[in-house]
Amino acid sequence: MKNNDLAVVILAAGKGTRLKSSLAKVLHRAGGRTLVEQVIRACAPLGAKRTIVVVGHQSEVVMATVEPLGATTVLQQPQHGTGHAMQVVRRALGNSKFAIVLPGDAPLVRPETLKALLATHRSANAAATVLTAVVADPRGYGRILRKSDTAISAIVEESQLSGDQAEINEINSAIYCFTLEKLWPALAQVKPNNKHRELYLTDAVAVLASKGEVVLAQVAADPCEVLGCNTRADLAEVDRIFRDWKRLALMDSGVTIQLPETVLIDPDVMAGEDTVIEPGVQLLGKTKIGARCTIRAGSVLSGAILADDVVVEAHSLIADSRLDDGVIVGPFARLRGGNHLKARVRVGNFVELKKSVLGEGTKAMHLTYLGDAKIGSKTNIGAGTITCNYDGFHKHPTTIGNKVFIGSDSALVAPVRVGNGAFIAAGSTITENVPADGLGIARGRQTNKIGWASKKRRELASSPSDKKITPKKSRRNSKKQKR
Ligand code: UD1
Ligand code: MG
């Protein structure tokens, strides 16, 4: 869809005083994205000729957030209200006939709702069309004064309510469609008649209505779409709704989510059919999960790419890693960035991996650190194996071949290579390459002292001073203990 006569204007210059934050309001996040990004994304399907974001507080950071998303910015400095913001943006609107104006802090609006708003506006040839919602608790929002079933006469801000206007439960979403040639003269008549001495865009709506222009209200089908994020509690509520939507979308596509309200899923996450997600899981960033996978309780995946039939056992952390078909990791595994686990690899409890490749069918089941390691297929990494990849100055690689057996409690001091089919004896500290099919053994040789223990016992039994502790000694010992 293309609308060449349309501009989108997102008002994002305000500080967000009620959030009590050093971060500008529109940069707070809900549903895994900044508020302003959510709004820009909701507007994208309108196909407007230009999308302009009005910036003010922390303008540089807001600009850096929105410009990569295809929006241009206009600086409003200082901020004298939403009406003033529109005056500031006027030149940048060029020859646009219509503008859809949205606050940067109401991110739940759906593209279909905006399309319907534009369609209503166009077909009625209106001067302004206001998206409204009927809500149970209208506190904090501007209230809609109705002229008729479709038309409105004014919007009254919360701070200016009089008489029984507080009872009105139809609220202003602050999302409007304006015919711009009608808006400008109306805005010129608006006065800062409020306690903040601001120019309210809402007052321009009343001016238009008083001039007899067509000012329509379109009621949002789903009132949650207009929720604004003025407080931390609002942010939490809006985030909850986004997360709900995402979980429902995944469930609709064939994913099982147990106790869904405990599971946090970012917007770009994908998961295939018959995958099961257990309680308390977080799926973050661009995590992509194949079909028939199981992500057990309490695991956190961020930027993880899982093929099919992968099992992530409970309480595992997987960041920026690729797991091929049939891999099993955890419980309590930690995969830091840059790992590739090929088909049917098994990584068990308390295993940490970083920038490592494990070939098909390789196992590292217990208490191991593998960093900068390249490991072939069908290799067994014994319990407690450590790749010593850092010498205090630089990182070094460890290369292990196919069908290798690394005995438990081995330290592989990198850079080092272990050839195909080689064995490493348990408890070895390997500092030199081990050739294919060889045995690397590097540890103190054991000596057994025959009869040593029984001799010791006999000695102790025959020595009376060792049987009883003398009172003097015991006093000294107890003092020592106290110290
Ligand atoms: C606004 C509406 C209110 C509506 C509510 C819905 C006005 C006067 N009131 O109130 O009727 O019910 O939204 O959420 O419009 N901004 C600027 N420049 C400014 C002032 C604000 O860009 O000078 C931006 C803010 O960054 C924010 C948006 O405009 O993104 C709305 O401002 P906010 O202070 O949140 O207005 P509300 O009190 O929520
Ligand atoms: Mg607001």
Side-chain angles (χ1 to χ4, degrees):
M1 189 161 142
K2 253 296 158 257
N3 280 300
N4 277 327
D5 53 358
L6 177 71
V8 161
V9 179
I10 299 169
L11 307 183
K15 180 165 186 281
T17 312
R18 290 162 280 183
L19 284 179
K20 301 189 175 67
S21 171
S22 59
L23 187 67
K25 172 157 67 173
V26 296
L27 297 177
H28 280 261
R29 300 174 86 83
R33 296 190 176 113
T34 60
L35 300 182
V36 68
E37 177 172 359
Q38 297 282 20
V39 178
I40 291 173
R41 282 172 173 266
C43 294
L46 286 170
K49 191 162 180 202
R50 37 175 86 80
T51 298
I52 302 166
V53 179
V54 182
V55 298
H57 273 281
Q58 295 189 342
S59 54
E60 281 175 22
V61 201
V62 180
M63 280 159 77
T65 305
V66 303
E67 283 174 358
L69 301 167
T72 55
T73 52
V74 170
L75 184 66
Q76 183 200 11
Q77 198 72 278
Q79 298 85 34
H80 287 315
T82 46
H84 175 241
M86 284 308 288
Q87 288 175 338
V88 169
V89 94
R90 181 172 180 173
R91 256 171 48 136
L93 288 170
N95 59 357
S96 302
K97 187 161 182 229
F98 304 109
I100 296 241
V101 179
L102 311 93
D105 68 342
L108 284 163
V109 66
R110 288 189 171 99
E112 305 76 59
T113 306
L114 296 175
K115 282 183 189 167
L117 184 74
L118 180 62
T120 303
H121 186 87
R122 276 188 196 278
S123 64
N125 214 359
T129 306
V130 182
L131 182 69
T132 71
V134 176
V135 296
D137 180 6
R139 277 175 300 173
Y141 292 93
R143 312 293 207 282
I144 302 292
L145 302 190
R146 284 280 189 168
K147 202 187 255 178
S148 72
D149 275 359
T150 53
I152 68 178
S153 58
I155 301 170
V156 188
E157 287 306 297
E158 169 97 358
S159 57
Q160 295 172 310
L161 294 170
S162 59
D164 52 7
Q165 286 173 340
E167 306 298 310
I168 297 171
N169 64 351
E170 185 176 14
I171 60 158
N172 172 28
S173 67
I175 298 171
Y176 322 84
C177 187
F178 288 110
T179 298
L180 288 168
E181 62 180 9
K182 307 237 162 151
L183 175 67
W184 305 127
L187 205 48
Q189 292 181 30
V190 170
K191 301 271 172 329
N193 291 334
N194 51 71
K195 75 167 185 220
H196 299 292
R197 313 290 309 148
E198 289 189 348
L199 287 180
Y200 285 169
L201 185 54
T202 44
D203 290 344
V205 172
V207 171
L208 285 169
S210 70
K211 285 180 169 177
E213 297 287 356
V214 180
V215 179
L216 300 177
Q218 170 135 321
V219 186
D222 182 352
C224 83
E225 276 189 71
V226 310
L227 288 176
C229 297
N230 295 317
T231 64
R232 302 268 175 173
D234 294 339
L235 271 176
E237 173 66 1
V238 165
D239 184 64
R240 192 186 60 72
I241 294 167
F242 270 121
R243 304 294 182 179
D244 256 355
W245 288 354
K246 178 65 190 181
R247 290 182 301 240
L248 286 171
L250 280 184
M251 288 193 263
D252 278 348
S253 69
V255 177
T256 293
I257 305 180
Q258 298 171 350
L259 297 184
E261 62 284 1
T262 68
V263 173
L264 190 94
I265 306 178
D266 272 354
D268 294 331
V269 169
M270 294 192 256
E273 278 181 21
D274 294 318
T275 278
V276 176
I277 297 165
E278 290 191 355
V281 165
Q282 295 193 7
L283 304 176
L284 308 176
K286 297 205 184 309
T287 290
K288 187 166 179 251
I289 299 174
R292 300 176 303 281
C293 294
T294 303
I295 316 298
R296 294 207 192 281
S299 291
V300 179
L301 278 58
S302 167
I305 309 291
L306 276 54
D308 298 333
D309 303 296
V310 172
V311 179
V312 177
E313 299 285 6
H315 302 287
S316 297
L317 307 182
I318 304 180
D320 303 315
S321 293
R322 212 172 114 196
L323 280 60
D324 291 350
D325 287 345
V327 164
I328 304 176
V329 302
F332 301 102
R334 179 177 183 207
L335 277 59
R336 292 156 57 197
N339 299 294
H340 181 187
L341 277 51
K342 298 193 179 169
R344 294 173 300 286
V345 159
R346 294 196 58 185
V347 166
N349 42 273
F350 306 107
V351 173
E352 176 181 344
L353 305 183
K354 189 218 76 175
K355 283 194 192 157
S356 289
V357 178
L358 276 63
E360 280 187 29
T362 282
K363 293 180 184 171
M365 294 300 285
H366 336 264
L367 304 157
T368 285
Y369 172 61
L370 300 172
D372 305 300
K374 192 166 184 298
I375 303 172
S377 58
K378 297 200 170 121
T379 280
N380 190 81
I381 307 290
T385 297
I386 306 287
T387 54
C388 310
N389 59 329
Y390 184 50
D391 60 10
F393 301 97
H394 300 106
K395 301 281 169 67
H396 300 283
T398 300
T399 308
I400 301 173
N402 303 324
K403 295 189 179 167
V404 169
F405 179 91
I406 309 282
S408 295
D409 195 27
S410 295
L412 304 163
V413 182
V416 71
R417 308 174 76 89
V418 181
N420 290 337
F423 274 62
I424 302 295
S428 292
T429 297
I430 298 295
T431 54
E432 285 168 28
N433 293 345
V434 179
D437 295 318
L439 167 70
I441 178 162
R443 63 190 184 209
R445 184 176 281 277
Q446 180 173 343
T447 53
N448 288 341
K449 298 190 174 178
I450 305 299
W452 180 92
S454 47
K455 190 173 152 224
K456 187 77 185 170
R457 275 188 221 105
R458 273 198 306 279
E459 274 172 23
L460 289 173
S462 63
S463 152
S465 64
D466 278 342
K467 252 197 232 161
K468 264 199 289 176
I469 297 172
T470 60
K472 208 175 161 193
K473 250 191 182 168
S474 109
R475 267 207 307 279
R476 213 177 42 230
N477 281 351
S478 71
K479 255 192 198 163
K480 227 184 204 167
Q481 270 163 17
K482 270 188 199 153
R483 272 208 301 269

